[in-house]
Amino acid sequence: MTSRFSRRWVSCTHNGCQNSASQTAEHGVNPLSSTPGIDNRPAHAFPAALVAALREARHVVLLSGAGVSAESGVPTFRDAMTGLWSRFDPAELATPEAFERDPELVWGWYEWRRMRALQAQPNPAHLAIAGMSDHLPQLTLVTQNVDDLHERAGSDTVIHLHGSLHQPRCATCGRSHAFPDEMPNEPEGGRRLPPPRCTRCRGLIRPGVVWFGESLPEGAFYQAQEAAENCDLLISVGTSSLVYPAAGLPHLAKAHGSQLIQINPQPTNLDGHATWNVVGAAGQILPALVAAAWGSTRAQYHPGGLPACADDSQ
Ligand code: APR
């Protein structure tokens, strides 16, 4: 099997920017584990085929994970030392059994996370994703994130596969529960906090997220699957591609003929399957990608005055 694409690395020359892009061979080994030649073309010079695939796409699915909110100060789950799971045991906090066993521990932890999410602001990655829908015939935004940063950045249709921190409900009757308007005021790392009671059945209110062992919201996952089967480009950004069934969506899309772009500063299981692996931070790569594909309004997509991509200099 001869591969269509030769593998390339592009090392970034911008100050402090660690972005690089590679085109992987169809059945390539993980580019991050081999040491290809370094190519010193200017950074953000995305492969032309990648930019064309985005610019000419009929229907793009963008699958986002915790890495997209990382630059907003919302901790990821699995990043060593900083990820939530390096500090808290998911089995102790993110399962129905844990809530059954110790509702105050679980509720307090989720109130702390909700506070962090409310204190955070959308970053240039969220803004760039929201801006993509201005340029694409169809964009389906599927997120594993339980924060509302996509919506606050202006994305109007967001499929939340793992629920939302902002949509609690009764654990007994399922009735949705409204949070008070004021910002939660939780100590770092959370504290034990009794969950409120349902106004209909007095059952305990639980966080509106999907816990390990629970099914995804049926409608949401069905929509995501359908979009993956019908898109011509899927962009997987800021996810470790470890948690199924969400992590299966890129493979489903590829099996239906779609090309895959992965954006992540670290290697993941998707490396060898992606058409293009773009190694870098979402908050830098996505604005640059939008600029490369469609030009951009500098203010909106280039944080901290990063020089625009080649396109803008025209
Ligand atoms: N830009 C892009 N990617 C980033 C950035 C960044 N600035 N910072 C970190 N990442 C990458 C990490 O390299 C990692 O691959 O984001 C990924 C985060 O992975 P996880 O912490 O595993 O988060 P995610 O993939 O979203 O987790 C999936 O697991 O714990 C459950 O329900 C939870 O929705 C979550 C699911």
Side-chain angles (χ1 to χ4, degrees), residues 105-144:
L105 178 72
V106 173
W107 183 258
W109 187 64
Y110 278 95
E111 274 301 271
W112 169 69
R113 288 186 54 199
R114 187 170 74 91
M115 176 187 75
R116 292 288 298 268
L118 289 170
Q119 289 167 339
Q121 293 305 322
N123 68 58
H126 297 108
L127 295 169
I129 293 167
M132 277 185 183
S133 52
D134 303 340
H135 303 285
L136 288 164
Q138 189 177 1
L139 172 69
T140 303
L141 175 51
V142 180
T143 189
Q144 298 167 82

Side-chain angles (χ1 to χ4, degrees), residues 64-68 70-71 76-79 83 85 144-146 162 210 212 237-243 263-268 280-283:
S64 72
V68 170
E71 292 159 78
T76 68
F77 294 89
R78 290 174 187 82
D79 279 351
W85 299 151
Q144 298 167 82
N145 299 346
V146 291
H162 295 163
V210 177
F212 288 105
V237 51
T239 178
S240 56
S241 299
L242 287 172
V243 176
I263 300 170
N264 197 311
Q266 299 295 330
T268 78

Side-chain angles (χ1 to χ4, degrees), residues 85 88-95 98-99 101 105-106 109-110 211:
W85 299 151
F88 306 97
D89 178 352
E92 287 300 314
L93 292 159
T95 62
F99 186 67
R101 206 172 36 243
L105 178 72
V106 173
W109 187 64
Y110 278 95
W211 280 327

Side-chain angles (χ1 to χ4, degrees), residues 25 38 44-45 60 101 124 177 195 215 218 246-247 249 255 257 275 280 298-300 313:
I38 297 291
H44 309 319
V60 172
R101 206 172 36 243
H177 176 81
S215 308
E218 216 170 304
L249 292 169
T275 317
R298 291 171 187 251
Q300 199 173 4
S313 57

